């Protein structure tokens, strides 16, 4: 539990607040309630300052250091550094301290600069001017000085300075329009309504005279939920109580539009506003590669401890013989002789730990972070993933999961707005069994004056005519659409055929399609004015209905209603919703005919809604008002009480008819689904639509094929048989062939086997997830999972948002632990997007809640194909090579040091010079692998598009399995043996000259300890760099520059380091060593032979594997290497995913070719090239 929450609870308990309710009371304008009304309890609330920064001037250093040393790699090297300072170790503390200092400093500077920018933004926001009412006058003050209870005035195009309860506006109907693009990304106008009793206030004096209190919930981050009530004190004894909901709340960060000014009272300020509460990040997701890295790190830590332990034991075994522990040239002091044996052994153990600590690649974490951060730009710069229609491109909200895009095994996708366009077109309606189709299409052209009706059935009689007009009126009245008279509205569509130019504004494409469709059938919705809805009937007569109540739509009830009063005084309740939610509430009407038409339309893939009504007498309406008022003013369980009230009101209805709306499949959605299945990914569709509609869409997008045998696990079937019997029957069916043929666990698309598809509905899923009385809740789940594993595709219909998340979690936590991806475009998809390993939001027409809560966002579903099969593939290949290469090159680095101890009496003598120890991971080998991890393309983009099955080669973390890890480690050990013993054998016969110099007997070359270590180090640097060059399939001029430049830098540095007497150094043991070594022919021969020998096993393995057992990726790789080395080619295809353009001359099957321009890649490489040394220190 959060500590602040504990403190609050303790404080309330100590204060005697036994009946404390999670709400707050706000005194509007800081005016006390009248005597006898209620006790006046002043409450303390935070001011209106926004603090998004993490640090202050005083706590930056300690807090930043604490956060950085919480990382285990940094803490480990800090311990090593402290050990070097405390005890006598063979290496200088600089070798560990300098890389650690560099990494800590660079990270601190980066985080400090980012926090300074946040401070600047906070100050600009907190110091902006705000108008508020004081003693009936308008006063200006800084935003940070606002307090809860202040009455604020906001003008058009200004942002709200805090969360306000809407009191009044300059508009006569007490409404205002706002945009919340900075909160949830939605650019459409939202309509908010002022409190009924205060909407008439126009002046500052009117508002200042308001005497009221507001009771509302404590701050919580949900942008779309607010529960409160206002007590207005007039001359009456009892206050007037008005409910407050989300329609009365104006959020900080939203912008006022198309309204001259509004007045509102501050209820949440500063860090308690909903915008500030949403600053907190989502739960951290970790990729499979990161988990493998941590496991490998633990393995290498065990190897390090083992090495140190072995050397410590052997040292004391070797020194057990006389005179070996105390040679004549290194006599011990008396205090050293008297030291405890165990203390000496522990000190030696720590010294060996320091000597071998470089096997742990601390710089790997920094390099991985840089690779992920820079690599994430490849998606955002990909012009092929830019949608011209919407002007939107892909977004990367987190770069931590880039490589996870290459490991996806299950995709869970929404249907409406994700697979389909969410662009609704009214197709037909059925009234009393008679079908009406708007007469608007002729030879593919929209007729400008089309207002007629095509009757499919015979014309209705007199009573049918009355029901028909009632049905059309219901469609005109039962919605929440706003009408804007001005033509310059952003986003919405103009009503096509009416004498009055009006623009409909709606967040629901379904409602928009129905209102525009019924307009073509002769009834036009005009506007809502003075709480009266105006419509134009078929005879062009104006009809006015007083809007009494709106029973809002919710995803559980799946219907909405309005209560209106006609000019004749008749009160109607009109209700529309899904057939499954309307039919149970109906007691009259031609149910069978309408149900038949609904099912027929659903099979054709149309979205259907049913419409019903009932007449209310005055007594019934009064009872409804009391019931709704009691629920609306409740502060506790308001949603539950409203749901119960709606259920009581929306019953005993008379069925009028149904509508059918078409939602077209998105462009290339079918191709994308087909490619993903070929890649071995299972695709599940999770939707709230009815089964027939969703199944038709699944056939259209090729999720189901005509050969697919559909299995149903639905409520209807469970009613006929028990759930146990149904599951066992399905399990028996899908496992029928498992004894003779092995089914591919990924796609199940084997030609030899029957292809199965499963359809399950929400009610059946609830029964499966429900724990059984005997406690064996897992049995049904396991059976269900077994059936799903053997189906090529699964359709889940009638799903509530929470059930979508339950399905994702069920698969995610199954015994195979598959990597899951969820994709959707609406707020109802957020739960599954957050639950999946990777969440992708589609920037669609249902707002941006999904995109805002996702890890990645794309404009269209078709872009998922390239994101996974190309970007995900490359990301995984690159980072897996980076991780394995780091461990490999550090084994090559440290294992010769371990071998050297057997030849120096375990004296902890270092093999390499201090400068080489420090710069090996920082400079000599850092840039080549970083660049490789950013640009490598082992196969072309067109090949990955054309052959999705290549995705299977990297599935299940294939390149970071234990077998591959052991190969890289063994290769590192082999190379280290070659480096050390090759050099040792070459200079085996040596003699000592009269000057004390060691000279080889055969070549008479001066040879010593540092020459030996330098030669080993030189062979090692060349070998590990050339190993990376051999692994590079995709050569560009910058690859050549970095790889050969790194080798040249090592040579130049060594010449300068040993060729100049540096006055800043106390001693210079490397003076002239490197030049002396290069002046020897045998040294050159040794370098060439040993480098060749070290690379030979890897080259042989590659050749043999390609010839004897090539993988699909190796078969797809181009056999001609020359094209990859051409400079002009390199410029064109180097970073294809940054900048692309179509080449129509190529065959369609290969897809668009990709080209790059210098302007595309320069911004990326200018930064990392200059800063990579520091950021990959280790």
């Amino acid at each position: 539990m959060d500590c602040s929450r504990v403190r609050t609870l303790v404080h309330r308990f100590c204060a005697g607040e036994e009946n404390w309710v999670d709400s707050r009371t706000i005194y509007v304008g800081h005016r006390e309630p009248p005597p006898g009304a209620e006790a006046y309890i002043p409450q303390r609330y935070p001011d209106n300052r926004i603090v998004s920064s993490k640090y202050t001037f005083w706590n930056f250093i300690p807090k930043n250091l604490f956060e950085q040393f919480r990382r285990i790699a940094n803490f480990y090297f800090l311990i090593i550094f402290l050990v070097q300072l405390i005890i006598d170790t063979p290496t200088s503390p600089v070798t560990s301290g300098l890389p650690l200092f560099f990494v800590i400093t660079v990270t601190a500077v980066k985080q400090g600069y980012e926090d300074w920018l946040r401070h600047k933004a906070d100050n600009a926001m907190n110091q902006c001017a705000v108008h508020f009412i004081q003693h009936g006058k308008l006063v200006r003050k800084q935003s940070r000085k606002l307090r809860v209870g202040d009455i604020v005035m906001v003008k058009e195009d200004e942002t709200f300075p805090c969360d306000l309860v809407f009191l009044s506006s300059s508009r006569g109907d007490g409404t205002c329009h706002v945009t919340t693009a900075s909160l949830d990304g939605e650019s459409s106008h939202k309509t908010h309504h002022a409190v009924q009793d205060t909407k008439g206030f126009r002046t500052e004096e009117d508002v200042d005279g308001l005497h009221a209190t507001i009771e509302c919930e404590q701050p919580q981050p949900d942008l779309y939920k607010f529960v409160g009530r206002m007590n207005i004190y007039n001359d009456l004894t009892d206050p007037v109580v008005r409910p407050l909901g989300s329609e009365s709340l104006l959020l900080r960060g939203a912008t006022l539009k198309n309204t001259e000014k509004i007045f509102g009272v501050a209820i949440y300020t500063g860090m308690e506003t909903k915008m500030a509460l949403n600053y907190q990040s989502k739960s951290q997701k970790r990729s499979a590669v990161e988990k493998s890295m941590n496991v490998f790190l633990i393995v290498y830590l065990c190897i390090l401890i083992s090495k140190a332990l072995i050397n410590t034991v052997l040292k004391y075994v070797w020194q057990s013989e006389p005179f070996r522990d105390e040679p004549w040239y290194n006599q011990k002091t008396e205090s050293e002789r008297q030291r405890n044996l165990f203390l000496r052994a522990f000190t030696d153990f720590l010294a060996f730990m320091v000597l071998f600590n470089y096997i742990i690649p601390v710089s790997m974490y920094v390099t991985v972070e840089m690779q992920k951060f820079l690599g994430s730009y490849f998606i955002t710069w990909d012009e092929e993933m830019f949608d011209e229609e919407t002007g939107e491109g892909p977004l990367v909200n987190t770069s931590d999961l880039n490589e996870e895009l290459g490991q996806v095994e299950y995709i869970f996708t929404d249907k409406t707005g994700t697979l389909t366009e969410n662009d609704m077109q009214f197709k037909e309606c059925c009234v009393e069994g008679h079908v009406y189709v708007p007469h608007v299409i002729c030879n593919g052209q929209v007729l400008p004056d089309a207002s007629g009706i095509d009757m499919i059935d015979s014309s209705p009689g007199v009573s049918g005519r009355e029901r028909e007009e009632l049905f059309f009126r219901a469609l005109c009245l039962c919605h929440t659409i706003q009408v804007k008279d001005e033509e310059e509205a952003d986003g919405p569509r103009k009503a096509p055929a009416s004498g009055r130019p009006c623009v409909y504004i709606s967040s629901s494409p379904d409602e928009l399609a129905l209102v525009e469709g019924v307009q073509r059938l002769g009834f036009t919705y005009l506007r809502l004015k003075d709480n009266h809805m105006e419509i134009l009937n078929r005879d062009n007569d104006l009809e006015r209905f007083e809007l009494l109540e709106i029973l809002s739509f919710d995803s559980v009830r799946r219907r909405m209603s309005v209560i209106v009063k006609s000019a004749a005084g008749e009160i109607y309740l009109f209700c529309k919703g899904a057939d499954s939610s309307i039919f149970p509430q109906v007691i009259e009407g031609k149910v069978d005919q309408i149900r038949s038409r609904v099912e027929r339309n659903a099979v054709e893939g149309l979205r259907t809604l049913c419409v019903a009504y009932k007449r209310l007498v005055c007594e019934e309406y009064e009872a409804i008002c009391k019931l709704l008022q009691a629920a609306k003013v409740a502060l506790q369980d308001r949603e539950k009480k409203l749901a119960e009230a709606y259920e009581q009101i929306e019953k005993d209805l008379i069925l009028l008819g149904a509508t059918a709306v078409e939602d077209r499949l998105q462009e290339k959605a079918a191709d994308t689904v087909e490619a993903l299945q070929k890649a071995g990914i299972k695709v599940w569709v999770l939707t709230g639509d009815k089964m027939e509609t969703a199944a038709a869409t699944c056939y259209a997008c090729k999720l189901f094929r005509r050969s697919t045998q559909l299995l149903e696990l639905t409520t209807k079937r469970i009613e006929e048989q028990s759930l146990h019997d149904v599951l066992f029957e399905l399990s028996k069916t899908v496992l029928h062939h498992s004894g003779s043929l092995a089914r591919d666990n990924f796609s199940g698309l084997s030609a030899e086997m029957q292809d199965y598809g499963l359809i399950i509905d929400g009610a059946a899923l609830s029964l499966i997830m429900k724990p059984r009385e005997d406690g064996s809740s897992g049995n049904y789940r396991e059976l269900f999972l077994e059936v799903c594993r053997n189906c090529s595709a699964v359709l889940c219909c009638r799903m509530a948002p929470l059930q979508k998340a339950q399905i994702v979690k069920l698969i995610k936590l199954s015994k195979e632990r598959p990597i899951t991806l969820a994709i959707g475009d609406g707020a109802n998809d957020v739960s599954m997007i957050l639950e999946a390993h990777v969440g992708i939001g589609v920037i669609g027409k249902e707002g941006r809640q999904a995109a805002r809560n996702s890890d990645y966002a794309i404009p269209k579903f078709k872009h998922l194909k390239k994101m996974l099969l190309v970007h995900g593939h490359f990301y995984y290949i690159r980072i897996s090579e980076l991780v394995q290469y780091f461990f490999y090159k550090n084994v090559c680095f440290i294992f010769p040091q371990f071998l050297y101890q057997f030849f120096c009496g375990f004296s902890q003598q270092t093999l390499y010079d201090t400068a080489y120890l420090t710069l090996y991971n920082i400079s000599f080998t850092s840039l080549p692998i970083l660049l490789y991890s950013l640009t490598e393309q082992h196969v072309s983009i067109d090949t990955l598009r054309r052959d999705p099955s290549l995705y299977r080669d990297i599935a299940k973390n294939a390149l970071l399995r234990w077998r591959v890890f052991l190969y890289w480690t063994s290769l590192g050990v082999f190379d280290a043996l070659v480096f050390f013993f090759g050099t040792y054998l070459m200079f085996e016969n040596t003699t000592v000259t009269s000057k004390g110099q060691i000279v080889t007997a055969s070549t008479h070359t001066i040879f010593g300890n540092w020459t030996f270590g330098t030669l080993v180090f030189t062979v090692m640097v060349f070998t590990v760099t050339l190993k990376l060059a051999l692994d590079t399939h995709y050569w560009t001029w910058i690859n050549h520059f970095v790889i050969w430049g790194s080798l040249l830098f090592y040579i130049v540095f060594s010449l300068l380091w040993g060729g100049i007497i540096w006055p800043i150094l106390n001693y210079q043991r490397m003076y002239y060593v490197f030049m002396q070594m290069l002046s020897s022919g045998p040294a050159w021969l040794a370098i060439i032979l040993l480098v060749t020998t070290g690379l030979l096993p890897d080259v042989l393995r590659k050749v043999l594997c390609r010839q004897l057992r090539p993988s699909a990726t190796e078969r797809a790789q181009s056999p001609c290497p020359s094209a990859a080395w051409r400079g002009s080619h390199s410029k064109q295809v180097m970073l294809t995913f940054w900048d692309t353009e179509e080449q129509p001359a190529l065959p369609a099957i290969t897809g668009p070719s990709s080209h790059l321009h210098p302007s595309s890649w320069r911004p990326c490489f200018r930064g990392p090239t200059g800063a990579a040394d520091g950021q990959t220190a280790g």
Side-chain angles (χ1 to χ4, degrees), residues 793-804:
V794 178
L795 167 62
C796 305
C797 50
R798 298 297 193 194
M799 288 281 143
L802 187 60
Q803 287 182 313
K804 292 184 177 183

Side-chain angles (χ1 to χ4, degrees), residues 431-434 436 459-471 473 588 590 613 615 654-656:
V431 184
E432 292 280 298
H434 300 283
Y436 301 78
S459 298
V462 177
S463 62
R465 182 81 175 178
E466 181 183 344
R467 289 281 178 90
E468 171 197 301
E469 294 193 353
L470 204 56
F471 174 83
R473 288 189 180 95
E588 188 181 330
K590 296 186 177 180
Y613 85 106
R615 282 190 173 90
I654 301 172
L655 186 63
L656 284 172

Side-chain angles (χ1 to χ4, degrees), residues 55 444 482 761 809:
Y55 308 108
Q482 298 292 320
D761 61 17
K809 188 175 182 180

Side-chain angles (χ1 to χ4, degrees), residues 589-850:
K590 296 186 177 180
V591 178
D592 293 336
Q593 294 97 316
I594 294 174
R595 189 196 303 272
S596 173
R597 192 70 190 181
V598 165
E599 291 175 353
R600 175 181 169 180
N601 287 332
V603 169
E604 294 176 2
L606 301 178
R607 294 166 60 86
T608 58
L609 285 175
C610 292
V611 180
Y613 85 106
K614 71 174 177 180
R615 282 190 173 90
L616 301 173
V617 297
C618 292
E619 293 77 11
E620 288 178 308
Y621 173 65
E622 290 173 3
I624 287 173
C625 285
K626 291 179 182 179
L627 185 65
L628 288 176
Q629 180 69 9
K632 285 180 178 179
V633 299
L635 289 181
Q636 302 296 319
D637 299 324
R638 177 183 290 185
E639 291 182 351
K640 180 182 177 183
K641 292 176 181 176
L642 277 174
E644 293 172 351
Y646 292 164
E647 195 65 32
Q648 291 185 43
I649 297 168
E650 296 170 329
K651 63 181 182 180
D652 301 334
L653 303 178
I654 301 172
L655 186 63
L656 284 172
T659 63
V661 173
E662 182 183 33
D663 187 10
R664 294 193 306 273
L665 205 63
Q666 277 196 20
E667 179 191 7
K668 296 184 179 179
D671 293 340
T672 302
V673 170
E674 189 175 24
L676 294 173
Q677 287 186 322
K678 287 179 180 177
I681 302 173
K682 284 191 173 181
V683 182
W684 290 28
V685 175
L686 312 183
T687 179
D689 276 355
K690 61 184 292 137
M691 185 178 78
E692 292 83 3
T693 304
T697 303
C698 290
Y699 276 112
C701 69
K702 298 183 182 179
L703 185 69
F704 293 156
R705 290 168 172 75
R706 296 304 168 190
S707 60
T708 303
Q709 181 180 340
L710 292 186
L711 309 174
E712 289 187 16
L713 182 54
T714 58
T715 312
K716 182 179 179 181
R717 186 169 179 186
I718 292 174
E719 288 173 354
E720 299 169 357
Q721 298 174 263
S722 67
L723 176 62
H724 181 274
D725 293 341
V726 174
L727 279 173
F728 266 96
E729 185 178 327
L730 293 177
S731 177
K732 183 179 178 181
T733 302
V734 298
L735 296 177
H736 178 67
H737 298 288
S738 61
S740 56
L741 289 172
R743 174 171 286 274
D744 181 354
N745 271 340
F746 274 145
S747 66
L749 295 177
S750 175
E752 296 86 0
M753 300 188 66
Q754 174 63 52
D755 192 20
Y756 293 107
L758 177 67
I759 299 177
I760 181 174
D761 61 17
L765 179 68
S766 298
L767 293 174
I768 292 171
M769 303 297 289
K770 185 179 179 181
R772 292 163 64 183
E773 295 180 0
D774 58 0
S776 56
S777 59
N779 290 351
Y780 285 164
R781 296 187 189 185
E782 285 304 318
L783 272 174
F784 172 65
L785 285 173
E786 192 64 37
V787 172
C788 291
R789 285 189 199 103
N790 290 276
C791 291
S792 60
V794 178
L795 167 62
C796 305
C797 50
R798 298 297 193 194
M799 288 281 143
L802 187 60
Q803 287 182 313
K804 292 184 177 183
Q806 286 178 333
I807 282 277
V808 175
K809 188 175 182 180
L810 184 67
I811 300 298
K812 178 181 169 185
L813 299 180
S814 61
K815 61 183 180 182
E816 296 90 357
R817 290 292 195 270
I819 304 299
T820 58
L821 181 148
I823 178 171
D825 72 316
N828 59 333
D829 302 315
V830 169
S831 55
M832 74 169 180
I833 284 173
L834 294 177
E835 183 62 49
H837 292 97
V838 182
I840 296 184
V842 176
I843 308 170
K845 299 179 181 178
E846 290 188 16
R848 299 215 181 181
Q849 297 96 314

Side-chain angles (χ1 to χ4, degrees), residues 447-691:
L447 300 181
D449 58 344
S451 58
I453 303 175
D454 278 350
M455 290 288 300
I456 292 181
D457 298 326
S458 59
S459 298
V462 177
S463 62
R465 182 81 175 178
E466 181 183 344
R467 289 281 178 90
E468 171 197 301
E469 294 193 353
L470 204 56
F471 174 83
F472 292 149
R473 288 189 180 95
L475 292 182
C476 278
L477 299 171
C478 190
H479 55 74
T480 56
I481 285 178
Q482 298 292 320
V483 179
K484 188 175 186 303
D485 291 335
E486 295 83 2
E487 295 186 17
E488 64 275 6
D490 357 346
R493 293 178 288 177
K494 190 185 296 185
S498 86
R500 177 190 183 85
C502 55
V503 176
Y504 293 143
I505 303 172
S506 176
S507 58
S508 169
D510 287 270
E511 285 192 339
L512 208 57
L514 291 177
V515 171
E516 290 184 347
V518 76
Q519 184 176 40
R520 295 197 293 270
L521 294 173
F523 281 76
T524 303
Y525 172 61
L526 297 178
R527 61 179 173 174
L528 173 66
K529 182 180 180 183
D530 300 330
N531 212 39
H532 282 74
M533 303 180 79
E534 297 179 358
I535 66 174
L536 206 64
N537 64 21
R538 194 176 293 160
D539 300 322
N540 281 333
D541 296 330
L542 182 68
E543 298 182 8
R544 285 169 58 88
F545 291 83
E546 183 182 357
L547 180 61
L548 301 177
E549 296 286 349
I550 297 178
L551 280 57
S552 302
F553 175 86
D554 64 71
S555 57
V556 177
R557 219 167 88 253
R558 297 180 62 79
R559 59 179 181 262
M560 75 157 291
S561 301
V562 294
I563 301 177
V564 295
K565 186 176 183 180
S566 69
E570 294 176 320
I571 301 175
Y572 293 94
L573 181 144
F574 292 117
C575 181
K576 74 176 180 188
D579 58 314
S580 60
S581 64
I582 295 291
F583 285 141
Q585 312 299 115
V586 167
I587 59 170
E588 188 181 330
K590 296 186 177 180
V591 178
D592 293 336
Q593 294 97 316
I594 294 174
R595 189 196 303 272
S596 173
R597 192 70 190 181
V598 165
E599 291 175 353
R600 175 181 169 180
N601 287 332
V603 169
E604 294 176 2
L606 301 178
R607 294 166 60 86
T608 58
L609 285 175
C610 292
V611 180
Y613 85 106
K614 71 174 177 180
R615 282 190 173 90
L616 301 173
V617 297
C618 292
E619 293 77 11
E620 288 178 308
Y621 173 65
E622 290 173 3
I624 287 173
C625 285
K626 291 179 182 179
L627 185 65
L628 288 176
Q629 180 69 9
K632 285 180 178 179
V633 299
L635 289 181
Q636 302 296 319
D637 299 324
R638 177 183 290 185
E639 291 182 351
K640 180 182 177 183
K641 292 176 181 176
L642 277 174
E644 293 172 351
Y646 292 164
E647 195 65 32
Q648 291 185 43
I649 297 168
E650 296 170 329
K651 63 181 182 180
D652 301 334
L653 303 178
I654 301 172
L655 186 63
L656 284 172
T659 63
V661 173
E662 182 183 33
D663 187 10
R664 294 193 306 273
L665 205 63
Q666 277 196 20
E667 179 191 7
K668 296 184 179 179
D671 293 340
T672 302
V673 170
E674 189 175 24
L676 294 173
Q677 287 186 322
K678 287 179 180 177
I681 302 173
K682 284 191 173 181
V683 182
W684 290 28
V685 175
L686 312 183
T687 179
D689 276 355
K690 61 184 292 137
M691 185 178 78

Side-chain angles (χ1 to χ4, degrees), residues 121 227 320 384 518 549 553 614 642 801 856 875 895 964 1087 1100:
V227 175
S320 61
E384 287 186 1
V518 76
E549 296 286 349
F553 175 86
K614 71 174 177 180
L642 277 174
Y856 303 89
Y875 282 140
F895 200 69
V964 183
I1087 292 173
L1100 287 175

Side-chain angles (χ1 to χ4, degrees), residues 889-903:
K889 72 186 182 74
N890 278 37
V891 169
C892 293
F893 184 41
I894 288 304
F895 200 69
Q897 181 75 70
F898 172 74
L899 297 173
Y900 187 61
Q901 297 307 302
F902 290 85
F903 295 85

Side-chain angles (χ1 to χ4, degrees), residues 59-167:
N59 71 7
F60 173 71
I61 292 178
K63 189 174 181 180
N64 185 265
L65 288 177
F66 173 73
E67 288 179 350
Q68 291 206 57
F69 285 118
R70 287 172 66 184
R71 295 188 61 173
I72 189 163
N74 289 346
F75 183 72
Y76 164 77
F77 268 81
L78 176 65
I79 296 299
I80 293 295
F81 175 66
L82 293 177
V83 169
Q84 287 177 296
L85 289 176
I86 295 170
I87 67 172
D88 183 21
T89 57
T91 58
S92 167
V94 174
T95 59
S96 293
L98 184 60
L100 179 64
F101 174 77
F102 200 86
V103 169
I104 295 296
T105 303
V106 169
T107 307
V109 169
K110 171 180 171 291
Q111 293 178 350
Y113 175 71
E114 290 173 348
D115 205 62
W116 176 71
L117 294 178
R118 285 192 286 265
H119 272 285
K120 285 186 65 178
D122 290 346
N123 290 335
M125 187 179 295
N126 294 330
Q127 292 175 9
C128 66
V130 174
H131 296 88
F132 73 105
I133 310 298
Q134 191 173 45
H135 306 304
K137 295 182 180 179
L138 208 57
V139 180
R140 285 181 54 163
K141 64 179 177 182
Q142 290 183 343
S143 173
R144 62 188 175 89
K145 296 181 180 179
L146 270 180
R147 293 186 300 155
V148 171
D150 283 347
I151 299 176
V152 180
M153 186 190 79
V154 179
K155 297 181 180 179
E156 185 174 3
D157 293 326
E158 291 182 350
T159 58
F160 301 117
C162 58
D163 291 351
L164 306 170
V165 165
F166 184 18
L167 296 178

